[in-house]
Amino acid sequence: PNQYSSMIPGYSLGAIDVVLGSGATAMGSDGLTGAIDFRLAQAGRGTDAVASPWVGTRLSSAEGSVMVEGGVDGRLGDFLYSIEGGYGSFDDLTGGRHSGERIADGSNHVSGTSATAVPGVAQGGDDEIPNSHFGMASSAARVAYVGLSDQRFELAGGFTRQFDAPRPDGYYENAAMSSPLIAGGNGQTRRIDRYYDPQDFAYLHARHIAKDVGAFERIQTTLYWHHNSEDQYRNRFNAAGTPPLLTTVNSERWLDRVDTYGLDLQFTNRIAQVHEVTWGATAYTDRLQSEYELNNNGVVTAPDGATTVPDDSNYDGLGVFAQDLWTINERWDLLVGLRWSRYAWDYTATDNRSGYNFIDPNVTNGTAAADFSDSTDALTADARLGFHPTRESTIFAGIGQGFRAPNMTNLAGNDLRGSSTVVVANPDLKPEKSITCEVGAKAQSGRDGASIGVFYTMIDDLIQPVYSSPALGTQGNSEKAVLAGGEVAFDWGLPLEHWLPVGHRLALINVTNYTSGESDQLQANGTVTEVHISRANRFFGQAGLRYDLGVNWWGMVRTRWSDVYDEVGTGDGGDTRHTTAPSANGIPGAMPGYAVLDVMAGWLSTNGKYRVQAGLENIGNVTYRDVGSGTDGAGINGVLSAGARF
């Protein structure tokens, strides 16, 4: 899930590659519209110095944040190395000028005290958003041996921890202004505290690269281990008595661990100078540990069916692929690929797990269990044709197949922790299969660039919840689905050479995105209904002007905007992330559009060793919320960042 990308600190990255389209043969074809490849920075970052230390910091007012980071890169003989670390502290966010109207008066939200707060009554003019703080610490190291001209050995590792991290939409104060109100006992809006402490991500990569080995231009072997863990806590409160008292009904704890062990092999052959053939295989196994504990008014239990996924579950992936980049001539090239993918899973579920009472329909108390082992595989292919009218431009058209097997959350997940909605797992899910057609063009000349692309994806058996009500759904497969959209982007310098000083540049910048998604969904009564794919129907982007004063100074003014989100999925109407920030059109789950204005400027030293950037975001102090977010965006926000290398 994309929220875990925040566990990879930016200072450890050398590049982020966005591979558009479903034809990512070497990466896997389970991304409908592309893949994002986070590439670690090279050990040493190109320095020949024994030690080249660096530092960086970022401060922001509305986020109440302080971030510091630093490290050292260097070379010792034939060894390159990088060591780095960082720390960040984020206070409760200050939203726009109307964010206080979305925050309920939770001043008496303490167990055993009078619950005088009235559901649906805002806290007033204070726009600070409670339960939005968190802390983060990270470290990483990389080393490479380059003593052999045709070989390279690499080792990389890192660790990131987020701590004291509430989930804002899991708190009374943040969700009680939802419209309609969340149901609760004794007429009170439901009161829940949900927080993570800690969330961890650790990784260890070992890689060997050999060049010009016999017929192979390049051989790359990667072994890796990834570890994700998170401890989540939830306290439920209920109102009772006259006047009502807030009493703890129960406290819950989930402890989840995922260890992934993987091997990736890639071979590159150059054939007749016009065919670059990349082929290989990738295999991994996920080992999942999941624990649950419930303290219900002093009675502690640990029902197996309430864990996030069944404990000791295994999920395995295997892929074999080959692709050929054929340079037909200086104008035309063709990329074709073929991939075989297989996924397998094995777990034990008890009859008290949501969606698994069929194991023993008569008594669902967790004493009956069954083993579930299955697999699915598919052969997918893709092709993309490129035409280059000039050296700086490309026109492309492609078609690619996609394949996504159900994951453990789909098959056996316990999604009782979601944002007001409950989604029941389904062990009988079929994999998704899709075909994507795309066309586009791009041009780049110096710093000037522009691109346009559109895609149309036809999906069979799309995995998504089938809702019997806005708050209750079951994982299912849609009959048919379509996801379509496009993007227009440019960074284009205006032809003002005769008006501007030498070396100065004024450019228009823009990125505009549109997506639309609909699915034909089989309902419980046997009928088929066309529904919107949740959060897929969007029209959003950013645009502005950037002025560069030579190579050192720059300034920019931009607007970030989104159209109203009103083609909603069924579950959006019961999701407090949406209903706490409702659109005025009355559609359940709809969210208003917005436009915010930012101004920023920066300076970079001529030698590239020192940088400063300052900005004022959301100058109008607009209250806005991105679709699917559990909290409003920052209000007017002063940001200052700086860095130096020595």
Side-chain angles (χ1 to χ4, degrees), residues 238-258:
N238 199 10
T242 305
L245 298 177
L246 284 179
T247 57
T248 303
V249 175
N250 60 42
S251 298
E252 297 169 281
R253 182 179 69 166
W254 287 267
L255 306 179
D256 296 306
R257 311 285 185 265
V258 181

Side-chain angles (χ1 to χ4, degrees), residues 448-463:
D448 295 338
S451 65
I452 183 172
V454 296
F455 70 92
Y456 186 86
T457 301
M458 299 161 285
I459 313 168
D460 287 331
D461 298 319
L462 175 69
I463 299 172

Side-chain angles (χ1 to χ4, degrees), residues 304 309-313 346-350 353 356 359 369-372:
D304 292 336
V309 295
D311 192 27
D312 290 328
S313 301
D346 178 74
Y347 61 92
T348 300
T350 53
R353 174 166 295 276
Y356 282 78
I359 296 175
D371 294 330
F372 294 84

